[in-house]
Amino acid sequence: MKRDFHAPGRSAVYATRGMAATSMPIATLTALDVLKAGGNALDAAIAAVAVLGVVEPQSTGIGGDCFCLYAPAGTGKVVAINGSGRAPAAATPEALRARGVDKLVNTSPHVVTIPGAISAWELLNKTFGRKELGELLRPAIRCAEEGWPVHARVAADWAAAAEKLRGNPASSRRFLLDGMAPPVGHKFVQPELGRTLRAIGEKGARAFYEGEIAADMVATLRALGGLHTEEDFHRGLRGAEFVDPVRKAWRGMEVYQCPPNGSGLHVLQILGILEGFETPEAGPISAERFHRHIEAARLVYRDRDAFLADPAQVDVPVERLIDQAYLSKLRGLISDEHAMKEMPPAGTADWARHKDTVYLCVVDEEGNACSFINSLFESFGSGILAEKSGVMLHNRGFGFRLQEGHPNCIAPNKRPMHTIIPGMVMKDGEAIMPYGVMGGHFQPMGQTLFLTNHFEFGLDVQEAIDCPRLFPSPVRGVVEVERGIPGSVVDRLNRLGHECVLVDKPHGGGQAILIDRKRGLLIGGSDPRKDGCALGY
């Protein structure tokens, strides 16, 4: 497709040596600075995500979790790391009920798991990095101590979360101005966070998980009734771990994802269901395409809610869920004539159950490719700020359930069901695209929309990200539609039996870098739904 230069939008970015794509310009520039100074793709990704935790504070930070896929050049391998944290050792349904907790609330201390990001950053840096962690954190420290202007999407998200921040006195003092979110262009300074980042830069992850910073986070949580202890944080120091990625052959390539407790396997499920259909002649913005995608996603999210959990504590039937015979049976349930009124029980194909993140990717001159995602889960996470250390704490434990017997029921030292998923596409033993789409529960839907937009419908990297989105929300039970989808398409979806509603906030935000080895090119795209950009040199 040729771009219509009369229409608003942007072109894909081309480069030859190195490229980064992130959701904030200063983070993209930081990544390129690291590459030019001799760092590799992973060094650049860590430096960039640290900056994002300062300048996009509603989406990410050191009080959250991360996952990463890294494809070292020339190895033919994809390395996966799980940097998601665990529940406190005392977290049981019984202990919560004894405190009068009969349901998990997104602003409660009981949904704060031990943050895993810093443990993962250090493990990745020690294993694959070329630069010292302290050097990589300097740009983030500078942004925190000197301040950085609030960008447009950040300001909008901040304003939407103001009520949550008002509910926590420390958050209100630090993140609101006279009770209101800061406006676009306000230079936001975070000296406490700057000091904490300095301590991590000097002493490593131990400074975060032990000593006064950990004590501040524990005291903050316990004052609100939390079950956390300093011993829980001490265990978190070695919480991140390398894991075996899951993968699936697709259209002559292989798509890689992190394994459970992340939801990447559901990307592979959706792709496996859809690949048996002929490509709709009406194109990517057609009722036929969207209808099939919605129905496939409904079946897959049904499986997610039944099975996805921490594989260290429960059996997650990954191989069965991505088995092509099973996915073919699921495809057989989808009719082009109408939406399913009901679905079979989870894990079967016959009748015998939204949020904030940052994603970034970097490719360096050697061809190392990094796909990196870091998150507080919902906007500003739990809204609970550890004030002395400047750490906003995530609410990833909101992914748990209190339903005893359910695979994802909260339990001591257990990881919750996780929505954040970096992606990597490989071909003939080489990385050809690190990519990701943010947006909480939307991510498997978003990734598969993007991948099929590009590899099936032929849109370039930027067009594939720009393309309007929809999502069959497993929480609301309706199809949430962006305004860019034509009314005639929405009308047809409604007549097929879907209940479409316009969504106020667009779905997620994506970044991708296509590696064209034949031509020696890097081709990047960055989502207009966010403030960021792709840049290369």
Side-chain angles (χ1 to χ4, degrees), residues 96-244:
L96 294 178
R97 279 196 289 271
R99 282 168 161 71
V101 177
D102 58 4
K103 68 175 182 177
L104 294 174
V105 177
N106 64 344
T107 53
S108 158
H110 305 305
V111 298
V112 180
T113 47
I114 307 306
I118 294 299
S119 174
W121 295 6
E122 181 172 86
L123 180 56
L124 285 165
N125 177 251
K126 285 182 175 179
T127 308
F128 295 105
R130 293 180 188 157
K131 299 282 190 180
E132 294 293 327
L133 185 61
E135 180 182 345
L136 299 178
L137 295 183
R138 282 179 202 153
I141 293 167
R142 188 165 57 249
C143 287
E145 294 181 344
E146 298 177 7
W148 194 257
V150 175
H151 282 48
R153 175 60 191 269
V154 175
D157 290 346
W158 209 319
E163 192 60 34
K164 175 189 282 189
L165 296 171
R166 291 186 195 106
N168 181 273
S171 296
S172 182
R173 283 190 290 271
R174 164 50 61 206
F175 283 92
L176 297 177
L177 306 174
D178 298 324
M180 303 299 289
V184 174
H186 173 80
K187 192 163 77 169
F188 187 64
V189 182
Q190 299 175 76
E192 301 88 359
L193 179 58
R195 284 197 297 274
T196 293
L197 288 168
R198 281 189 180 278
I200 296 168
E202 291 167 6
K203 301 174 185 175
R206 191 173 297 279
F208 182 83
Y209 293 101
E210 298 175 355
E212 63 183 39
I213 295 169
D216 179 44
M217 291 186 281
V218 170
T220 298
L221 291 163
R222 292 191 74 87
L224 296 171
L227 299 163
H228 309 72
T229 66
E230 290 188 42
E231 178 60 26
D232 290 324
F233 275 80
H234 169 70
R235 279 195 301 272
L237 176 62
R238 300 285 177 254
E241 57 187 350
F242 289 110
V243 291
D244 293 328

